[in-house]
Amino acid sequence: MKRVATLILLIALYIFPNTQAKQEASLTALSLSTEEIRQISELAGLDLLNSEFVKNGDRESKKVIAISDFYNLADFPIDSILLARIFLQTLQDSKVFMLTNAIGGNASNIDPMLDSIRSLRNNKEFSDIIPKNALIAPQYSLSGRISSELKELGTKTLVQYTIILNITNLKNGLIEWNYVDLMKKVYEGKIPNNLSTQTRYGLICNGRIKTDMTIKEACELAIAEIWEGSFRDIPKNAMSHIAQYAKKACELDSAFGCRAVGASYRYGVGEKQDFTKAMEFYKKACQNQDGNACYNVALLYQNAQGVKQDFNMASSYAHQSCHTNFEAGCELFKRLEMLVQQDELDERGHELERRCEQKVGLSCGNLAFYYYHGINGASRNPIKAAFLFQKGCDLNDVNSCYQLGLWYVQGLGGMLKDSKIAANLMEKACEGIKIKQNCDKTLPIDKCEVNFDFLRSNACFSLGGIYEHGGVHLDKDTQKALKFYKKSCDLNLKNSCVAYDNLKESLK
């Protein structure tokens, strides 16, 4: 019986090739080899030594540089630390730089004795041998990252690697030297769907690799490798990984990990979007003094995401965020304090407030004018006015979208100038809202239907002007300008007809 089982196993292995071996072959073919990493490092070294940063610097005194983090964000395992070490050898050989381990990131083999030295400096027995101020602080920091992009070309797979190295001035934060290299590799076949693309930190986090590093630290570093900017921009191939690492880190009482789980649920990255669960994990991180998480709890309360809208609770969490020195939390706290202040509105104001709460967009927009001008019992409060315009626009009120767009152009209501956001709001007012949506639940006294086309025409006209002249975060686009001037002209706004003719004439 045992021989039969062995024979069946041998037949199975012959008929079904070893999947793991196939995956390893795929990884080897698509990863950067040691020789390729060496080539990249050497080219980067030559670029640095011939850069203005080195040539125009003080050649008499050496530049002290610390080794920061080198992240591999590519789809395949690559020895990013080897890239760092080979490049650092170039720096040492140049006689221009001195390397320090006084502080460092994941690419630095920091001697554990340094921590001992820091503690012994306060010991009388060692204070003369290891005095304070003896460690030399770095002036610059070296960091790097590797990312990749996959493309299928028929039966082949193309991988394009992007390697970025930076040297940052630690005194002023400016980048002194920046190097970008591209490398392409072609694989004869398609990438297996179940091919593991986890980084070394991810594998440690999952217990696949055993090291002296704690699981919590590995999971946090694995999250940081993937989550470099906006959570919504995380590559699809990394979505399930980051949710997995975040949950593991959160289980180990990592505030950063819990915040990442919250973001995963909030934006639907690696998990189905669920604001209630997002709130749960953000609160857990906030309890561990994570100011960013407290800030996000405040936003969820402000925007009624997963909970009933509650400005007082939002203000409380924003205050907690500010208490941890998280600057965005302080700014949000100031805005929320202005939102929660009580006013003695007149009868009409109370009616508008009630109807706005009943989701009548026009009423929200009309109430916004009370707070902008400080009339009829409302204090002058541009921040509250901007909030009400946003609420009215979300409820498809043409005038609210139009006014809010104007405010973004001018930077009113505590908002930064942003013509791109303004254009999006204006476009919604110009052609993205139907009369039935705009006038839903309104009263005859509002004259909503009567004013609808007039407001649309003004929004289209303003949108034409934005595209004709461009602005913050928005380039000029004369074709779009003509389109919206024409739309406004067709809605009988004479100024738009003149603007359309003048622009068309100037383009001849």
Side-chain angles (χ1 to χ4, degrees), residues 33-308:
S33 67
T34 302
E35 187 54 42
E36 287 166 332
I37 290 173
R38 184 177 299 280
Q39 178 186 334
I40 292 165
S41 299
E42 290 175 353
L43 287 172
L46 286 171
D47 185 88
L48 172 62
L49 297 180
N50 287 286
S51 67
E52 295 297 316
F53 171 54
V54 171
K55 284 187 171 182
N56 295 339
D58 183 1
R59 302 288 296 190
E60 299 301 318
S61 58
K62 290 186 178 181
K63 297 174 170 62
V64 181
I65 190 165
I67 307 100
S68 182
D69 296 302
F70 271 63
Y71 286 135
N72 174 30
L73 305 178
D75 296 280
F76 305 98
I78 294 170
D79 195 344
S80 56
I81 306 305
L82 177 63
L83 173 69
R85 304 317 295 185
I86 296 174
F87 182 75
L88 290 170
Q89 190 62 53
T90 303
L91 265 63
Q92 283 186 306
D93 294 344
S94 71
K95 309 299 182 185
V96 175
F97 295 92
M98 286 195 303
L99 308 182
T100 177
N101 264 341
I103 60 172
N106 69 7
S108 176
N109 295 326
I110 295 180
D111 191 326
M113 282 296 292
L114 286 169
D115 287 331
S116 299
I117 286 171
R118 288 188 173 96
S119 61
L120 289 171
R121 286 180 308 189
N122 296 321
N123 186 309
K124 289 183 179 179
E125 189 174 348
F126 289 94
S127 58
D128 291 336
I129 303 169
I130 310 170
K132 289 186 178 181
N133 303 319
L135 290 176
I136 299 175
Q139 304 160 301
Y140 304 96
S141 170
L142 169 70
S143 62
R145 59 172 290 192
I146 305 171
S147 59
S148 65
E149 183 180 358
L150 291 174
K151 289 183 180 178
E152 289 191 352
L153 304 172
T155 59
K156 298 180 181 180
T157 301
L158 172 69
V159 185
Q160 177 168 295
Y161 287 102
T162 303
I163 300 94
I164 301 174
L165 301 178
N166 285 321
I167 290 180
T168 303
N169 186 318
L170 293 175
K171 185 177 181 179
N172 55 32
L174 297 177
I175 294 176
E176 299 282 4
W177 173 76
N178 182 59
Y179 179 77
V180 180
D181 197 358
L182 302 176
M183 182 168 284
K184 294 181 180 179
K185 302 201 77 173
V186 177
Y187 174 64
E188 295 289 340
K190 293 191 176 182
I191 305 299
N193 292 329
N194 61 344
L195 185 67
S196 173
T197 58
Q198 296 187 71
T199 64
R200 182 171 180 272
Y201 292 127
L203 293 171
I204 297 171
C205 175
N206 287 329
R208 300 273 296 279
I209 297 178
K210 302 297 181 183
T211 69
D212 293 335
M213 180 181 289
T214 65
I215 298 295
K216 177 180 174 180
E217 183 185 0
C219 292
E220 288 180 334
L221 286 168
I223 295 165
E225 282 185 305
I226 300 171
W227 186 8
E228 268 209 317
S230 168
F231 210 87
R232 285 169 287 196
D233 295 334
I234 288 172
K236 288 183 179 179
N237 69 299
M239 287 181 178
S240 60
H241 289 333
I242 195 167
Q244 187 181 15
Y245 304 149
K247 284 185 176 179
K248 184 76 173 178
C250 187
E251 287 170 5
L252 296 170
D253 206 30
S254 162
F256 179 49
C258 292
R259 170 158 50 96
V261 178
S264 186
Y265 279 115
R266 183 181 181 187
Y267 298 113
V269 173
E271 298 287 353
K272 185 178 179 181
Q273 190 174 55
D274 187 327
F275 291 121
T276 303
K277 285 189 175 180
M279 175 70 87
E280 175 191 340
F281 285 100
Y282 277 140
K283 281 186 174 180
K284 191 171 181 180
C286 180
Q287 288 167 2
N288 275 343
Q289 303 301 309
D290 187 305
N292 194 320
C294 299
Y295 168 75
N296 278 284
V297 173
L299 289 178
L300 291 175
Y301 271 116
Q302 175 189 284
N303 300 327
Q305 293 175 313
V307 289
K308 185 178 179 182

Side-chain angles (χ1 to χ4, degrees), residues 201-414:
Y201 292 127
L203 293 171
I204 297 171
C205 175
N206 287 329
R208 300 273 296 279
I209 297 178
K210 302 297 181 183
T211 69
D212 293 335
M213 180 181 289
T214 65
I215 298 295
K216 177 180 174 180
E217 183 185 0
C219 292
E220 288 180 334
L221 286 168
I223 295 165
E225 282 185 305
I226 300 171
W227 186 8
E228 268 209 317
S230 168
F231 210 87
R232 285 169 287 196
D233 295 334
I234 288 172
K236 288 183 179 179
N237 69 299
M239 287 181 178
S240 60
H241 289 333
I242 195 167
Q244 187 181 15
Y245 304 149
K247 284 185 176 179
K248 184 76 173 178
C250 187
E251 287 170 5
L252 296 170
D253 206 30
S254 162
F256 179 49
C258 292
R259 170 158 50 96
V261 178
S264 186
Y265 279 115
R266 183 181 181 187
Y267 298 113
V269 173
E271 298 287 353
K272 185 178 179 181
Q273 190 174 55
D274 187 327
F275 291 121
T276 303
K277 285 189 175 180
M279 175 70 87
E280 175 191 340
F281 285 100
Y282 277 140
K283 281 186 174 180
K284 191 171 181 180
C286 180
Q287 288 167 2
N288 275 343
Q289 303 301 309
D290 187 305
N292 194 320
C294 299
Y295 168 75
N296 278 284
V297 173
L299 289 178
L300 291 175
Y301 271 116
Q302 175 189 284
N303 300 327
Q305 293 175 313
V307 289
K308 185 178 179 182
Q309 191 172 60
D310 190 327
F311 292 132
N312 288 310
M313 287 295 289
S315 181
S316 174
Y317 276 99
H319 185 263
Q320 286 186 56
S321 174
C322 183
H323 191 65
T324 66
N325 296 318
F326 189 68
E327 189 175 342
C330 299
E331 292 300 318
L332 180 60
F333 177 67
K334 290 176 188 175
R335 294 198 299 271
L336 286 166
E337 283 296 283
M338 295 190 74
L339 286 174
V340 299
Q341 68 183 31
Q342 299 299 313
D343 297 287
E344 296 296 329
L345 296 173
D346 63 10
E347 186 177 343
R348 171 66 174 159
H350 281 300
E351 174 66 12
L352 290 173
E353 191 174 47
R354 182 182 64 79
R355 289 171 61 200
C356 178
E357 289 173 359
Q358 293 174 348
K359 299 187 177 181
V360 181
L362 181 64
S363 296
C364 299
N366 287 339
L367 186 59
F369 281 104
Y370 275 43
Y371 285 100
Y372 178 62
H373 295 288
I375 58 175
N376 301 336
S379 58
R380 191 173 189 283
N381 190 336
I383 289 175
K384 196 163 188 174
F387 176 82
L388 287 165
F389 276 138
Q390 182 64 66
K391 191 170 183 178
C393 183
D394 291 341
L395 293 168
N396 295 312
D397 175 46
V398 165
N399 192 41
S400 291
C401 295
Y402 170 50
Q403 295 296 335
L404 194 60
L406 291 176
W407 282 34
Y408 268 106
V409 171
Q410 301 171 66
L412 300 176

